[in-house]
Amino acid sequence: MAAAAIARSGQRMARVAAARRGGPPPGLVGGRAAAAGWSRPEPGGEVQYCAELVRKRDYEGFLCSLLLPVESRTSAFALRAFNVELAQIKDSITQKTTGLMRMQFWRDAVEGIYCDNPPHQPIATELWRAVKRHNLTKMWFMKIIDEREKNLDDRAYRNIQELEKYAENTQSALLYLTLEMLGVRDVHADHAASHIGKAQGIVTCLRATPYHCTRQKVFLPMDVCMLVALDDYLCNVRKVDFNIFHPSLQRKSALLPLHLYIRSWKKIY
């Protein structure tokens, strides 16, 4: 009896510890694992690695992946983890050369995946398995890498069309791969995915504006921003009785990033 009580206590402690780590409780396999939204990690922990990365860095994508069929869930985590890995390169480097090297690693990794020779990296390993399971199109992976690499220049988009192109080659491309993973190869579904991806890219740009402002960067389309910037300047001119030589007009507006964000959110340009 005492041994059984100790065993039960140990199991409870293990479940609590697993919950704190964000992983599935011990013994939660089969149907119960599927109901909880977790797949049992394969040897080596690659699935768990991808799932944890997505949970921490793309929580909305993590939740959406849990709604997919169990047989597709591990592949979805791999795709999302790949996207997260590329997206965070820009913010984790101080020199563009470093970013280019990391992008090249993933370009070579994709080439290796399609030659059945993936590098010994957990995301790459899971991507290789996903490609083998679902016959995913190599072109979409390369488009994501190429577009993320162009974005290392850290410059604002000149217009809304540039932002849409970036979103198409990143977010929409990821959705195309997701559709292929689910066995959906339909021109109408692709058309919907294109628009959804562009919308997601624009929303992501808007949501990231406060963070970018802390780095003294604005990535909203320049053509949209210049309308707002001119309005801000004209308001300041009016405040000084249209004296264009007033010293206050030569200072940068500390509130301009906030005005840009509010105007964009309200769609008032």
Side-chain angles (χ1 to χ4, degrees):
M1 294 293 291
I6 292 173
R8 287 195 296 271
S9 177
Q11 290 172 355
R12 285 196 297 271
M13 292 176 66
R15 284 195 293 269
V16 171
R20 288 176 177 172
R21 294 194 303 268
L28 189 63
V29 295
R32 287 196 296 163
W38 284 91
S39 298
R40 187 176 183 179
E42 298 180 26
E46 292 89 356
V47 174
Q48 188 72 14
Y49 179 92
C50 293
E52 281 297 296
L53 179 62
V54 176
R55 185 179 68 84
K56 291 177 182 178
R57 301 293 184 181
D58 180 16
Y59 189 63
E60 293 172 355
F62 175 77
L63 295 179
C64 291
S65 297
L66 295 180
L67 299 176
L68 297 176
V70 177
E71 62 272 14
S72 301
R73 202 169 296 156
T74 56
S75 297
F77 285 143
L79 291 177
R80 290 280 178 178
F82 169 74
N83 185 59
V84 168
E85 187 74 14
L86 292 178
Q88 65 186 6
I89 289 176
K90 182 177 179 178
D91 291 332
S92 63
I93 60 172
T94 56
Q95 294 183 335
K96 182 181 177 181
T97 304
T98 306
L100 292 174
M101 291 173 62
R102 293 176 63 178
M103 291 295 181
Q104 187 59 46
F105 167 82
W106 282 107
R107 192 174 284 107
D108 294 340
V110 171
E111 293 288 353
I113 285 169
Y114 280 87
C115 293
D116 284 334
N117 186 32
H120 296 293
Q121 201 272 357
I123 298 174
T125 300
E126 275 306 299
L127 278 183
W128 172 71
R129 291 171 179 158
V131 169
K132 298 294 286 185
R133 291 188 198 111
H134 310 290
N135 192 28
L136 302 179
T137 301
K138 176 183 175 182
M139 175 182 66
W140 301 127
F141 288 107
M142 290 304 191
K143 277 187 175 291
I144 294 173
I145 295 171
D146 290 343
E147 199 65 33
R148 294 285 189 187
E149 183 175 273
K150 293 176 186 176
N151 200 240
L152 292 176
D153 289 330
D154 213 26
R155 64 177 180 82
Y157 305 102
R158 289 180 297 180
N159 47 53
I160 192 68
Q161 288 75 24
E162 277 196 358
L163 176 55
E164 286 185 347
K165 180 182 178 182
Y166 173 77
E168 167 71 23
N169 290 330
T170 54
Q171 301 296 341
S172 296
L174 183 64
L175 292 178
Y176 297 149
L177 288 167
T178 303
L179 287 174
E180 289 185 348
M181 178 195 71
L182 295 171
V184 178
R185 296 176 185 264
D186 179 84
V187 64
H188 300 295
D190 288 345
H191 184 71
S194 175
H195 286 285
I196 293 172
K198 290 177 182 177
Q200 187 174 355
I202 293 171
V203 169
T204 299
C205 184
L206 289 174
R207 291 174 65 180
T209 299
Y211 167 72
H212 291 146
C213 286
T214 64
R215 301 171 61 229
Q216 298 183 333
K217 299 286 186 179
V218 176
F219 290 101
L220 298 174
M222 291 173 63
D223 59 346
V224 173
C225 292
M226 288 302 298
L227 293 171
V228 178
L230 288 174
D231 185 57
D232 182 76
Y233 177 79
L234 293 175
C235 287
N236 290 332
V237 168
R238 187 165 57 248
K239 290 177 182 178
V240 296
D241 197 25
F242 300 95
N243 178 10
I244 61 172
F245 299 103
H246 197 280
S248 66
L249 298 178
Q250 307 305 315
R251 296 194 296 266
K252 292 182 179 180
S253 174
L255 296 177
L256 182 57
L258 178 62
H259 292 162
L260 293 172
Y261 177 72
I262 292 174
R263 293 291 190 91
S264 297
W265 180 64
K266 290 184 177 181
K267 298 186 184 300
I268 299 175
Y269 307 125

